[in-house]
Tab-separated table of all heavy atoms in Angstrom:
chain	number	residue	atom	x	y	z
A	1	ASP	N	0.825	-1.203	0.000
A	1	ASP	CA	0.000	0.000	0.000
A	1	ASP	C	0.860	1.256	0.000
A	1	ASP	O	0.627	2.203	0.747
A	1	ASP	CB	-0.943	-0.008	1.201
A	1	ASP	CG	-2.080	1.004	1.048
A	1	ASP	OD1	-2.358	1.427	-0.094
A	1	ASP	OD2	-2.682	1.371	2.074
A	2	GLY	N	1.899	1.242	-0.836
A	2	GLY	CA	2.773	2.403	-0.968
A	2	GLY	C	3.935	2.443	-0.002
A	2	GLY	O	4.769	3.351	-0.071
A	3	ILE	N	4.018	1.469	0.900
A	3	ILE	CA	5.113	1.425	1.862
A	3	ILE	C	6.048	0.275	1.490
A	3	ILE	O	5.614	-0.878	1.388
A	3	ILE	CB	4.584	1.223	3.297
A	3	ILE	CG1	3.711	2.421	3.696
A	3	ILE	CG2	5.741	1.060	4.286
A	3	ILE	CD1	3.053	2.263	5.043
A	4	PRO	N	7.335	0.551	1.265
A	4	PRO	CA	8.256	-0.536	0.917
A	4	PRO	C	8.483	-1.450	2.108
A	4	PRO	O	8.472	-1.014	3.262
A	4	PRO	CB	9.540	0.206	0.529
A	4	PRO	CG	9.473	1.495	1.283
A	4	PRO	CD	8.017	1.853	1.355
A	5	SER	N	8.693	-2.719	1.832
A	5	SER	CA	8.951	-3.682	2.897
A	5	SER	C	9.805	-4.805	2.342
A	5	SER	O	10.048	-4.880	1.135
A	5	SER	CB	7.627	-4.225	3.457
A	5	SER	OG	7.845	-4.970	4.642
A	6	VAL	N	10.276	-5.667	3.237
A	6	VAL	CA	11.083	-6.817	2.860
A	6	VAL	C	10.273	-8.067	3.178
A	6	VAL	O	9.852	-8.271	4.316
A	6	VAL	CB	12.417	-6.845	3.637
A	6	VAL	CG1	13.262	-8.045	3.203
A	6	VAL	CG2	13.182	-5.547	3.440
A	7	ARG	N	10.041	-8.904	2.156
A	7	ARG	CA	9.194	-10.068	2.382
A	7	ARG	C	9.893	-11.103	3.251
A	7	ARG	O	11.128	-11.137	3.352
A	7	ARG	CB	8.771	-10.705	1.064
A	7	ARG	CG	9.837	-11.484	0.336
A	7	ARG	CD	9.225	-12.465	-0.679
A	7	ARG	NE	10.245	-13.153	-1.455
A	7	ARG	CZ	10.879	-14.236	-1.036
A	7	ARG	NH1	10.612	-14.745	0.148
A	7	ARG	NH2	11.790	-14.812	-1.809
A	8	ALA	N	9.086	-11.942	3.897
A	8	ALA	CA	9.648	-13.060	4.641
A	8	ALA	C	10.432	-13.957	3.690
A	8	ALA	O	9.989	-14.212	2.566
A	8	ALA	CB	8.529	-13.855	5.315
A	9	PRO	N	11.608	-14.443	4.119
A	9	PRO	CA	12.486	-15.185	3.208
A	9	PRO	C	12.111	-16.659	3.081
A	9	PRO	O	12.949	-17.547	3.217
A	9	PRO	CB	13.852	-15.018	3.873
A	9	PRO	CG	13.528	-14.983	5.335
A	9	PRO	CD	12.231	-14.232	5.438
A	10	VAL	N	10.840	-16.913	2.820
A	10	VAL	CA	10.335	-18.282	2.723
A	10	VAL	C	9.476	-18.400	1.478
A	10	VAL	O	8.652	-17.512	1.204
A	10	VAL	CB	9.495	-18.653	3.963
A	10	VAL	CG1	8.905	-20.049	3.815
A	10	VAL	CG2	10.326	-18.555	5.240
A	11	ILE	N	9.655	-19.473	0.710
A	11	ILE	CA	8.799	-19.759	-0.439
A	11	ILE	C	8.257	-21.178	-0.270
A	11	ILE	O	9.025	-22.137	-0.209
A	11	ILE	CB	9.565	-19.625	-1.769
A	11	ILE	CG1	10.018	-18.174	-1.977
A	11	ILE	CG2	8.681	-20.072	-2.943
A	11	ILE	CD1	10.858	-17.955	-3.220
A	12	PHE	N	6.933	-21.292	-0.144
A	12	PHE	CA	6.277	-22.587	-0.010
A	12	PHE	C	5.897	-23.102	-1.396
A	12	PHE	O	5.524	-22.324	-2.274
A	12	PHE	CB	5.010	-22.467	0.837
A	12	PHE	CG	5.253	-22.077	2.277
A	12	PHE	CD1	5.030	-20.774	2.717
A	12	PHE	CD2	5.689	-23.020	3.197
A	12	PHE	CE1	5.235	-20.424	4.032
A	12	PHE	CE2	5.899	-22.674	4.521
A	12	PHE	CZ	5.669	-21.372	4.943
A	13	SER	N	5.930	-24.414	-1.572
A	13	SER	CA	5.504	-24.991	-2.845
A	13	SER	C	3.993	-25.100	-2.947
A	13	SER	O	3.439	-25.135	-4.042
A	13	SER	CB	6.128	-26.379	-3.038
A	13	SER	OG	5.586	-27.313	-2.119
A	14	ASP	N	3.315	-25.157	-1.795
A	14	ASP	CA	1.869	-25.364	-1.823
A	14	ASP	C	1.156	-24.458	-0.831
A	14	ASP	O	0.134	-24.827	-0.251
A	14	ASP	CB	1.548	-26.832	-1.511
A	14	ASP	CG	0.113	-27.204	-1.892
A	14	ASP	OD1	-0.430	-26.598	-2.840
A	14	ASP	OD2	-0.459	-28.089	-1.220
A	15	ALA	N	1.705	-23.292	-0.603
A	15	ALA	CA	1.073	-22.318	0.292
A	15	ALA	C	1.582	-20.934	-0.077
A	15	ALA	O	2.527	-20.788	-0.856
A	15	ALA	CB	1.381	-22.635	1.753
A	16	GLU	N	0.942	-19.927	0.473
A	16	GLU	CA	1.314	-18.546	0.196
A	16	GLU	C	1.651	-17.832	1.504
A	16	GLU	O	1.176	-18.204	2.577
A	16	GLU	CB	0.161	-17.810	-0.489
A	16	GLU	CG	-0.234	-18.376	-1.840
A	16	GLU	CD	-1.447	-17.662	-2.423
A	16	GLU	OE1	-2.014	-16.810	-1.716
A	16	GLU	OE2	-1.821	-17.974	-3.565
A	17	LEU	N	2.475	-16.813	1.391
A	17	LEU	CA	2.682	-15.911	2.510
A	17	LEU	C	1.550	-14.900	2.553
A	17	LEU	O	0.913	-14.609	1.535
A	17	LEU	CB	4.017	-15.179	2.378
A	17	LEU	CG	5.285	-16.022	2.505
A	17	LEU	CD1	6.503	-15.188	2.144
A	17	LEU	CD2	5.419	-16.602	3.909
A	18	SER	N	1.324	-14.347	3.724
A	18	SER	CA	0.332	-13.289	3.875
A	18	SER	C	1.065	-11.965	4.027
A	18	SER	O	1.312	-11.495	5.135
A	18	SER	CB	-0.551	-13.553	5.101
A	18	SER	OG	-1.487	-12.510	5.278
A	19	ILE	N	1.455	-11.403	2.901
A	19	ILE	CA	2.183	-10.125	2.923
A	19	ILE	C	1.435	-9.160	2.016
A	19	ILE	O	1.735	-9.018	0.830
A	19	ILE	CB	3.641	-10.289	2.463
A	19	ILE	CG1	4.352	-11.323	3.339
A	19	ILE	CG2	4.386	-8.959	2.556
A	19	ILE	CD1	5.790	-11.561	2.981
A	20	ALA	N	0.451	-8.507	2.590
A	20	ALA	CA	-0.366	-7.579	1.816
A	20	ALA	C	-0.636	-6.283	2.565
A	20	ALA	O	-0.859	-5.255	1.957
A	20	ALA	CB	-1.702	-8.235	1.445
A	21	GLN	N	-0.573	-6.347	3.895
A	21	GLN	CA	-0.908	-5.173	4.693
A	21	GLN	C	0.331	-4.592	5.356
A	21	GLN	O	1.129	-5.333	5.936
A	21	GLN	CB	-1.924	-5.549	5.771
A	21	GLN	CG	-3.242	-6.077	5.248
A	21	GLN	CD	-4.180	-6.490	6.371
A	21	GLN	OE1	-3.909	-6.257	7.544
A	21	GLN	NE2	-5.274	-7.121	6.018
A	22	PRO	N	0.505	-3.290	5.308
A	22	PRO	CA	1.631	-2.670	6.005
A	22	PRO	C	1.399	-2.674	7.509
A	22	PRO	O	0.343	-3.096	7.996
A	22	PRO	CB	1.635	-1.241	5.453
A	22	PRO	CG	0.197	-0.975	5.114
A	22	PRO	CD	-0.349	-2.295	4.624
A	23	SER	N	2.371	-2.200	8.245
A	23	SER	CA	2.205	-2.070	9.683
A	23	SER	C	1.051	-1.118	9.979
A	23	SER	O	0.850	-0.138	9.266
A	23	SER	CB	3.492	-1.542	10.313
A	23	SER	OG	4.573	-2.406	10.028
A	24	PRO	N	0.294	-1.388	11.035
A	24	PRO	CA	-0.896	-0.581	11.306
A	24	PRO	C	-0.566	0.760	11.957
A	24	PRO	O	0.448	0.904	12.655
A	24	PRO	CB	-1.693	-1.459	12.275
A	24	PRO	CG	-0.626	-2.203	13.029
A	24	PRO	CD	0.454	-2.486	12.013
A	25	ALA	N	-1.431	1.719	11.741
A	25	ALA	CA	-1.380	2.953	12.522
A	25	ALA	C	-1.800	2.621	13.953
A	25	ALA	O	-2.490	1.632	14.210
A	25	ALA	CB	-2.303	4.002	11.924
A	26	LEU	N	-1.387	3.431	14.904
A	26	LEU	CA	-1.732	3.196	16.298
A	26	LEU	C	-3.243	3.173	16.484
A	26	LEU	O	-3.937	4.104	16.081
A	26	LEU	CB	-1.101	4.277	17.184
A	26	LEU	CG	-1.392	4.187	18.677
A	26	LEU	CD1	-0.883	2.863	19.256
A	26	LEU	CD2	-0.759	5.370	19.411
A	27	ASP	N	-3.745	2.084	17.051
A	27	ASP	CA	-5.176	1.872	17.335
A	27	ASP	C	-6.036	1.887	16.070
A	27	ASP	O	-7.234	2.149	16.129
A	27	ASP	CB	-5.690	2.926	18.326
A	27	ASP	CG	-6.960	2.463	19.048
A	27	ASP	OD1	-7.103	1.258	19.304
A	27	ASP	OD2	-7.821	3.326	19.331
A	28	GLU	N	-5.439	1.549	14.936
A	28	GLU	CA	-6.176	1.569	13.670
A	28	GLU	C	-7.394	0.640	13.700
A	28	GLU	O	-8.408	0.919	13.061
A	28	GLU	CB	-5.240	1.165	12.529
A	28	GLU	CG	-5.877	1.175	11.156
A	28	GLU	CD	-4.900	0.850	10.039
A	28	GLU	OE1	-3.674	0.925	10.263
A	28	GLU	OE2	-5.364	0.506	8.926
A	29	HIS	N	-7.303	-0.442	14.443
A	29	HIS	CA	-8.383	-1.428	14.445
A	29	HIS	C	-9.093	-1.508	15.793
A	29	HIS	O	-9.861	-2.437	16.030
A	29	HIS	CB	-7.807	-2.806	14.079
A	29	HIS	CG	-7.029	-2.804	12.803
A	29	HIS	ND1	-5.663	-2.607	12.771
A	29	HIS	CD2	-7.429	-2.934	11.515
A	29	HIS	CE1	-5.243	-2.646	11.519
A	29	HIS	NE2	-6.290	-2.835	10.742
A	30	GLY	N	-8.804	-0.551	16.666
A	30	GLY	CA	-9.346	-0.612	18.018
A	30	GLY	C	-10.857	-0.692	18.089
A	30	GLY	O	-11.418	-1.557	18.770
A	31	ALA	N	-11.547	0.204	17.385
A	31	ALA	CA	-13.010	0.252	17.489
A	31	ALA	C	-13.643	-1.037	16.985
A	31	ALA	O	-14.537	-1.604	17.638
A	31	ALA	CB	-13.542	1.456	16.709
A	32	ASP	N	-13.169	-1.533	15.826
A	32	ASP	CA	-13.755	-2.746	15.260
A	32	ASP	C	-13.508	-3.962	16.145
A	32	ASP	O	-14.413	-4.764	16.385
A	32	ASP	CB	-13.190	-3.009	13.862
A	32	ASP	CG	-13.779	-2.093	12.813
A	32	ASP	OD1	-14.819	-1.467	13.102
A	32	ASP	OD2	-13.195	-1.993	11.722
A	33	VAL	N	-12.268	-4.105	16.624
A	33	VAL	CA	-11.957	-5.279	17.437
A	33	VAL	C	-12.727	-5.245	18.749
A	33	VAL	O	-13.269	-6.262	19.203
A	33	VAL	CB	-10.442	-5.376	17.682
A	33	VAL	CG1	-10.125	-6.486	18.687
A	33	VAL	CG2	-9.704	-5.632	16.374
């Protein structure tokens, strides 16, 4: 989402990494959770 990052150094043959969301803003999900 516009923020550069370094992916986890793992490649699965039959699974995917979950690397789509950047680090959250402080309390970004507080109300919903």
Side-chain angles (χ1 to χ4, degrees):
D1 196 20
I3 297 175
S5 191
V6 181
R7 74 160 176 84
V10 177
I11 296 176
F12 295 102
S13 69
D14 196 29
E16 298 176 355
L17 293 172
S18 178
I19 303 180
Q21 299 177 8
S23 302
L26 179 60
D27 202 33
E28 181 177 343
H29 307 93
D32 284 345
V33 172

